[in-house]
Amino acid sequence: MSKLTKQQEQELKDAFDLFDTDHSQKISKNELKRVLNALHIKASDQELSQLMSKMDTDNSGEIDFNEFKNVMAGSFFKKYSQQELKAAFRKFDADGNGYITTKELADILSRMGRHLSRNEVEAMIKSLDKDNDGRIGFDEFCKLFD
C-alpha cells in the first residue's frame, strides 16, 4: 500500500488503542481474543495463534503499533461493498432495529475491554450522528468508510 496520510495513520492508532486495553502500547494474544469475541468473530486457539504470528513479525509475543499498521493498513482503508458494510453494521446493531444506540456501542466497547463513561460514548455517537437523532443509522455508519 502507498504511504498513509497523517489522518489514516491516526485512524489506525485509534483502532490500535481500542485493542490495547491495558495501555501497554502492545496488543497481547488475550487482548486480540477479547476484541474478536466482542465482535462475535469466532476464532479457535489455533486460528488466534496464526493471526498473532502473522502480525507479530519480531516474534515478541505481542503486536506493536508498527506491526499492527503494516498488517491492517491495506484492509482498513479498502473500499467495502454494501454487503460487507451491512454485515459489519449488524454486529453493532444488537436489536436489529437499523440503528446503533449509545447502549449498543457501550456494550460492544465493554466486551472489548473499554469501559467508557456514558458521556464518552454519547460523544462518539454525536460525532457520527449527522441527523441529530441520538443514534447512528446505516448511512451514517457508512461515512466511516468513505
Side-chain angles (χ1 to χ4, degrees), residues 15-33:
F16 179 86
D17 289 344
L18 274 177
F19 289 13
D20 179 24
T21 56
D22 66 0
H23 310 290
S24 66
Q25 300 303 306
K26 295 185 183 289
I27 298 170
S28 69
K29 186 175 181 179
N30 284 337
E31 287 171 319
L32 183 59
K33 184 174 186 170

Side-chain angles (χ1 to χ4, degrees), residues 25-87:
Q25 300 303 306
K26 295 185 183 289
I27 298 170
S28 69
K29 186 175 181 179
N30 284 337
E31 287 171 319
L32 183 59
K33 184 174 186 170
R34 189 178 308 128
V35 169
L36 294 175
N37 286 339
L39 296 172
H40 302 289
I41 297 171
K42 304 283 188 236
S44 69
D45 284 339
Q46 181 180 0
E47 291 168 324
L48 190 60
S49 293
Q50 289 172 342
L51 183 56
M52 281 295 294
S53 65
K54 177 183 177 185
M55 296 178 83
D56 179 24
T57 55
D58 68 2
N59 297 314
S60 67
E62 296 180 304
I63 303 163
D64 65 30
F65 177 63
N66 283 327
E67 291 169 328
F68 179 83
K69 180 175 65 171
N70 289 339
V71 171
M72 298 300 291
S75 61
F76 196 77
F77 296 109
K78 82 170 202 154
K79 291 294 181 192
Y80 293 93
S81 71
Q82 282 290 102
Q83 185 176 3
E84 289 171 315
L85 289 171
K86 284 179 183 176

